[in-house]
């Protein structure tokens, strides 16, 4: 490459992004959130095509349920000829590989898009910079960012699955005004009101899988589906940790397998008769290593789920599961919902003996959201070293 060309290409690389770019990327991030929980093992990506001279939004796209078509392909299909000369915003670098669908970068090149703004580089080794290089090689101007933190957060499950062999892990805790969790006696007991519970169901809709311990099933017999009107189809895979495969085949969640599957994670030496009984009841049993205490090792559990394609895991309790994931460094985000009143009846601490301060007063976590849901306080703490979207 001549000196002039190489300087010109560097200038293109470092072109500043504008306020309009930030607004369009924010829209792409919001669109990408629509696919959370629906695309695994693929990431959910958002894409927007904009006419740069008028600022008009030509089309929008996000990754389809099941992971394909990809976001850019959806946006390009909608834009048709209008994509010529336009700018495409994508939360993730457009792909460069032939998978079950052709590479998005080829579609972008063919469409006549003039400029691409992407959120984060795709950590998938089949892509990892090759999409950007391919676009540039065809004379398309490519700029990184803005909103990289938000775009990274959106694809964090994908990133962690590929780089750390585990999903992005959210821990949800609902506590009463004094920071205690009520204990169920065969049915759930609520520390928080209806609005917070509806929001919690949205978390389920955005998760690939939801996980509880066997103890929670015994105490609450929960359904773990998403019960927001019209959103049952977004219910995550339900995962129960049961080292001895002792989950009752009468558990309520085994009664509605058409809504979402139930995966039971057991120790390698779990009694075969129990496994056969659960499989007859429709559960899918899988195995993970146990720690010296005989309990399932949360790292092995996370790895088993990542190997099955899970990118976003919502952990809903109870205290020993919460404590084991926290102690293993496997809580990326804690969603703490605090009720306005104290509950009467049996209570426990959310992590066994420690209280919420192990998250709320922990310098490794940062308060990223604080709002009210009805009378309840809804706070989100994110690991400081993770994307802050
Ligand atoms: C994009 N846009 O919307 C998504 C992308 O199995 P395939 O062929 O669908 O490829 C999956 C990979 O594609 C996945 O690991 C990730 O690198 C990328 N996902 N890329 O351009 C999208 N979901
Ligand atoms: Zn693609």
């Amino acid at each position: 490459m001549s000196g002039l060309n190489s300087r010109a290409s560097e200038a293109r690389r470092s072109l500043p992004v504008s306020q309009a770019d930030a607004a369009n990327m924010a829209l792409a991030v919001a669109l990408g959130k629509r696919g959370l929980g629906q695309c695994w093992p693929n990431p959910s990506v958002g894409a927007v095509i904009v006419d740069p001279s008028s600022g008009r939004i030509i089309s929008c796209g996000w990754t389809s349920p099941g992971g394909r078509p990809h976001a850019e392909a959806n946006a390009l299909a909608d834009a048709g000829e209008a994509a010529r000369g336009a700018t495409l915003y994508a939360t993730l670098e457009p792909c460069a590989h032939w998978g079950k669908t052709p590479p998005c970068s080829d579609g972008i090149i063919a469409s006549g898009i003039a400029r691409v703004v992407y959120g984060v580089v795709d950590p998938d080794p089949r892509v990892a910079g090759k999409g950007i290089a391919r676009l540039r090689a065809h004379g398309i101007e490519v700029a990184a960012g803005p909103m990289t933190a938000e775009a990274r957060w959106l694809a964090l499950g994908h990133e962690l699955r590929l780089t750390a062999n585990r999903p992005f892990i959210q821990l949800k805790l609902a506590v009463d005004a004094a920071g205690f969790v009520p204990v169920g006696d065969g049915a759930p007991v609520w520390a928080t009101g209806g609005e917070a519970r509806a929001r919690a169901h949205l978390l389920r809709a955005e998760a690939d899988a939801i996980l509880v311990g066997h103890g929670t099933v015994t105490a609450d017999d929960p359904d773990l589906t998403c019960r927001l009107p019209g959103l049952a189809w977004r219910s995550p895979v339900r995962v129960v940790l049961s080292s001895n495969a002792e989950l009752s085949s009468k558990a309520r969640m085994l009664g509605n397998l058409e809504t979402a599957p139930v995966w039971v994670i057991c120790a390698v030496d779990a009694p075969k008769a129990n496994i056969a009984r659960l499989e007859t009841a429709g559960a899918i049993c899988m195995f993970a290593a146990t720690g010296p205490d005989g309990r399932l090792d949360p790292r092995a559990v996370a790895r088993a789920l990542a190997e099955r394609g899970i990118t976003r895991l919502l952990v809903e309790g109870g205290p020993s599961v919460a404590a084991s994931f926290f102690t293993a460094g496997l809580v990326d985000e804690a969603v703490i919902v605090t009720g306005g009143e104290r509950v009467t009846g049996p209570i426990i601490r959310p992590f066994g003996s420690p209280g919420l301060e192990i998250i709320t007063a922990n310098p490794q976590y940062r308060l990223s959201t604080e709002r009210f849901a009805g009378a309840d306080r809804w706070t989100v703490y994110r690991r400081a070293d993770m994307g802050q979207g």
Side-chain angles (χ1 to χ4, degrees):
M1 196 185 282
S2 77
L4 189 66
N5 272 347
S6 122
R7 270 199 304 282
S9 113
E10 274 322 302
R12 273 209 304 275
R13 263 164 237 255
S14 53
L15 271 179
V17 286
S18 67
Q19 260 188 0
D21 287 338
N24 290 325
M25 188 60 91
L27 174 58
V29 169
L31 292 166
K33 283 188 184 162
R34 293 186 182 188
L36 288 177
Q38 312 312 310
C39 301
W40 61 279
N42 273 1
S44 179
V45 175
V48 180
I49 298 179
V50 176
D51 175 349
S53 48
S54 65
R56 187 174 69 87
I57 291 162
I58 296 169
S59 68
C60 294
W62 59 94
T63 314
S64 295
R68 291 171 213 94
H70 288 179
E72 301 89 322
N74 284 332
L76 287 170
D78 240 23
E81 266 307 299
R84 202 153 290 283
T87 301
L88 180 139
Y89 297 84
T91 56
L92 186 72
E93 169 189 10
C95 68
H97 68 288
W98 275 90
K100 293 197 174 104
T101 51
C104 288
S105 48
D106 283 8
I108 294 169
I109 292 160
S111 72
I113 288 277
R115 178 170 179 254
V116 170
V117 182
Y118 69 91
V120 281
V121 171
D122 188 344
D124 187 323
R126 293 173 300 173
V127 186
K130 296 186 196 95
I132 296 167
R134 208 166 159 67
L135 295 171
R136 286 202 173 119
H138 283 80
I140 296 175
E141 180 188 312
V142 182
M147 312 282 293
T148 44
E150 289 79 357
R152 182 178 176 214
W153 184 87
L154 192 63
L156 203 47
H158 174 62
E159 176 188 322
L160 288 168
R161 193 173 86 89
L162 291 176
T163 60
N165 221 351
R166 69 172 180 86
F168 163 72
I169 301 172
Q170 242 176 354
L171 172 68
K172 192 220 126 197
L173 297 166
V175 295
D176 76 353
F180 289 101
V181 180
V183 184
D185 183 14
V189 183
W190 306 111
T192 53
E195 196 172 323
R197 287 209 296 281
R199 268 189 187 284
H201 277 248
L202 259 187
L203 289 181
R204 291 181 178 181
E206 293 178 349
D208 300 344
I210 181 169
L211 179 147
V212 296
H214 174 228
T216 296
V217 182
T218 309
D220 293 352
D221 197 12
D223 220 13
L224 301 181
T225 50
C226 173
R227 287 191 297 285
L228 295 174
L231 293 188
W233 66 277
R234 296 191 60 135
S235 295
V237 171
R238 296 166 292 171
V239 179
V240 181
L241 302 186
S242 184
S243 45
N244 288 322
E246 284 166 330
L247 175 71
S248 160
S249 37
K250 300 220 165 51
R252 198 205 312 233
M253 67 177 81
L254 288 169
N256 56 9
L257 292 168
E258 67 292 347
T259 307
V262 171
W263 294 358
V264 182
I265 305 195
C266 322
V268 182
D269 57 358
K272 294 215 166 27
N274 288 357
I275 291 167
R277 181 181 48 77
L278 283 173
E279 286 181 342
T280 305
I284 295 171
C285 294
M286 51 192 74
F287 303 93
T290 45
D293 57 356
R295 301 171 58 89
L296 289 164
D297 173 358
R299 284 187 205 85
V301 168
R303 189 168 343 111
L305 293 175
E307 278 163 7
R308 292 254 172 168
I310 299 298
T311 67
R312 294 173 54 83
L313 177 66
L314 176 63
V315 175
E316 275 209 17
S320 60
V321 171
S324 72
F325 273 76
F326 175 77
T327 308
L330 288 176
V331 176
D332 299 312
E333 193 172 278
V335 179
I336 302 173
V337 197
T338 309
E341 290 172 23
R342 296 188 69 153
V343 293
T344 49
I347 47 171
I348 38 174
R349 287 182 177 277
F351 291 99
S353 49
L356 290 174
E357 67 285 350
I358 62 171
I359 299 272
T360 58
N362 184 334
Q364 283 177 342
Y365 289 87
R366 203 158 40 204
L367 180 65
S368 72
T369 304
E370 185 171 25
R371 62 154 72 108
F372 274 91
D376 306 320
R377 244 178 98 232
W378 181 281
T379 50
V380 180
Y381 291 81
R382 283 193 180 158
R383 267 163 62 145
D385 57 342
M386 293 290 170
Q388 294 291 310

